[in-house]
Amino acid sequence: MKILVINAGSSSLKYQLFDMDTGEVIAKGLCEKIGIDGAITHKRPGREDYHAEVTFRDHDDAIALVLKLLTDKDLGVISDLSEIDAIGNRVAHGGEKLRRSMLVGDEEIQYLYSIVGINPLHGPPAIKGIEACRRQMPGKPLACVFDTSYYATLPDYAYIYPLPYEYYEKYLIRRYGFHGTSHRYVTGRVSELCGRPLEELKVITCHLGNGSSITATKYGKAVDTSMGFTPQEGLPMGTRSGSVDPTVIPYIARMEGLTPDETDKMLNGKSGLLGISGVSSDCREVRAAAEAGNDRARLALDVLVYDIKKLIGSYIAAMNGVDVLVFTAGIGENDRDLRRRVCAEMDFFGIAIDEAVNENAPRGKEVDISAPGSRVRTFVIPTDEEYMIALDTMKLVTK
Ligand code: AMP
């Protein structure tokens, strides 16, 4: 069975074609600068990459070229589109109604339109991607996998904000949580790596990348997560502030004469690692600057490490313990020093890592970095959201 996974952003579209019989990616690529001008990079394992500057007026143009390349005599990997059994779309937000991966039609797409207001950045491009797929491959089973659906199990006291309740009723203001597909994937791997069912485990997963979130999963159910109504809450990120005293926000807006949109841009685009360090949103560059003696870059990393520790501690309290701690995504998978610092002086909780194993952990591999005999097992697990989407899609079409 072959599944095409689509992840559409505002001006980009990523794709991966999976052969689910082997679990392998047989082609993948990236369409960029959609609606601006355009470029495509098309990759097939073991063969030379193809890159072309093209014109993408919209997501339809991008999907059309992807399908053309996949079936191309020289650059393709399949001879006909009928070989694609189904399409899986990544959708960040499913609102309060779309709470599991599902095959979608008019009704679900209409609902996605109705919640664009609470998901203005990621909603419209995701819908454009879905609609382009429907137009280019009519009748093909089309699944949506929502980042938010992993959090359908959050108890109400973990998702309601202490604001006037009417805002929840009127505007659906609540914690939704994001990165759910990644947290679900790595949590699933924990069960295999530990050889124990998730129903017996308390797991904390740290997805630390350009966007970062931490999720607590107790006995197989997500019980809390750090991102909230939007992916802005929680940890400091590349350019996003994460949590701050809410009153600071209107105060800065008043002092600087910022409109709500400008304030949003400041919180989303100029804060986090970039905001504190003034150097970069990229953790590698911030680290390099810190090592070269830049004190604000040092401070940005210190704030990040401290906030990760505090969240882990709070989820240990929320679950009355932890069995497994996981690091994933760009920073979590690669930044050994950050992992070492997060796990330092956590012995009260039973967390201890083997510093040599952590230091030498090969990139892109699942590694158990726990110290011998430590009560909590700590893993580095590369995330694979696209595979999870393909797997969900396959399950939906074979059900
Ligand atoms: P992601 O959003 O998962 O692609 O992660 C992107 C983030 O991972 C960026 O901040 C990168 O700087 C960071 N990253 C990638 N490789 C490394 C590395 N070797 N050390 C530290 N950070 C890294």
Side-chain angles (χ1 to χ4, degrees), residues 76 125 190-191 218 256 265 269 278 289 325 332 360 382:
V190 160
S191 169
K218 186 177 186 183
E256 295 277 315
K265 283 200 180 112
L325 177 66
N360 297 309

Side-chain angles (χ1 to χ4, degrees), residues 2 5 11 32 82 116 127 176 196 217 224 250 276 280 299-300 307 346 356 363 372:
K2 294 193 176 63
V5 173
S11 64
E32 293 172 279
S82 62
V116 157
I127 299 172
Y176 290 99
R196 288 174 67 187
T217 301
D224 207 347
I276 301 175
S280 171
L299 179 61
D307 283 2
M346 297 279 255
R363 295 196 199 288

